[in-house]
Amino acid sequence: PEPQIFEYDSLTNDERWGDSFDVLLANPPFMTPKGGIRPHNRFSIKAKKSEILFVDYIMDHLKLNGKAGVIVPDGIIANSPNAYKKLRTKMIRDNHLWAVVSMPAGVFQPYSEVKTSILFFDKSLSKNTQNILFVEVKADGYELGATRKKISKDDIPIAELDLISYKKNLLDPTSEIVLSNLSHLVSKESILKSPAVSLSGKRYKDD
């Protein structure tokens, strides 16, 4: 009834750095200005790319039991430069990440063809498991071209059931994990041992 709305630059101005949140839902800008961002010096990961800084900001500003869903470009998932690897390592080692949903290229058509994934953060869930759930959505109920006409193939409801099943198990270990063929679990140890610390689920999937 009385929303508190604030507009400020969280990347270059640290005036509100002390803010923390119960829930963060974000589709941060994927574009970095020419020459890069010039962030303030309170970020734990030194970078000039906006997508790295925004994801780092979100992790650092969740409350202890806070949770987040963040749409990110594929660079965050698998790019090899050091800042990207440090970011992915932080997600896993600090127990932020519990699930990654890979979306098909074209879901943001006609505005963008960028391949994206959704990161799910929740420290209270992540600390209860040594695994991360990877879900690959291949169709979202619409054509992946510019027209985005409705089609019958839609993996979203199945993906949602997989997320719910895994989440129930993290809250109650006696609950059975039931996953479709869209999903599989990968150990945090395996990801951290991989050269790129990649969050591309396909890389860890057995034939």
Side-chain angles (χ1 to χ4, degrees), residues 2-197:
E2 296 180 5
Q4 297 181 62
I5 300 173
F6 304 97
E7 181 179 347
Y8 55 94
D9 181 351
S10 56
L11 302 188
T12 63
N13 188 329
D14 67 356
E15 186 179 337
R16 299 187 65 99
W17 186 258
D19 290 0
S20 59
F21 306 94
D22 298 302
V23 179
L24 281 166
L25 301 174
N27 179 8
F30 299 162
M31 186 202 78
T32 298
K34 189 175 181 180
I37 302 282
R38 294 184 178 179
H40 54 75
N41 59 10
R42 300 184 70 172
F43 285 93
S44 61
I45 295 173
K46 304 305 176 188
K48 292 186 177 181
K49 291 283 189 180
S50 62
E51 65 265 30
I52 297 175
L53 294 167
F54 275 118
V55 175
D56 189 30
Y57 177 91
I58 287 166
M59 285 191 286
D60 284 346
H61 289 81
L62 283 174
K63 292 182 180 177
L64 192 59
N65 293 316
K67 54 191 174 182
V70 191
I71 298 171
V72 296
D74 246 25
I76 291 290
I77 301 299
N79 272 8
S80 56
N82 201 37
Y84 288 95
K85 289 167 68 175
K86 281 184 176 178
L87 185 73
R88 293 191 290 268
T89 300
K90 178 177 177 177
M91 291 181 204
I92 299 166
R93 283 219 170 111
D94 292 356
N95 289 319
H96 291 284
L97 186 68
W98 68 274
V100 180
V101 177
S102 171
M103 301 299 290
V107 294
F108 286 113
Q109 287 274 38
Y111 311 105
S112 172
E113 297 178 3
V114 174
K115 170 82 175 70
T116 58
S117 292
I118 309 170
L119 305 178
F120 289 89
F121 296 144
D122 187 325
K123 292 191 82 166
S124 62
L125 293 179
S126 184
K127 70 183 181 183
N128 289 343
T129 180
Q130 294 304 310
N131 299 308
I132 290 173
L133 178 68
F134 286 90
V135 185
E136 184 180 8
V137 172
K138 296 179 180 178
D140 71 337
Y142 297 88
E143 289 182 353
L144 297 172
T147 57
R148 295 287 280 156
K149 291 180 181 177
K150 196 170 180 60
I151 59 173
S152 59
K153 179 67 174 167
D154 184 1
D155 294 334
I156 300 286
I158 302 167
E160 184 180 9
L161 290 175
D162 287 357
L163 287 161
I164 290 169
S165 176
Y166 185 49
K167 184 176 180 179
K168 279 183 178 177
N169 174 264
L170 297 184
L171 294 170
D172 175 11
T174 64
S175 173
E176 183 184 2
I177 302 173
V178 180
L179 299 177
S180 72
N181 60 3
L182 299 179
S183 304
H184 64 288
L185 293 168
V186 179
S187 73
K188 294 177 182 179
E189 183 182 11
S190 298
I191 300 169
L192 290 171
K193 282 183 177 177
S194 67
V197 195

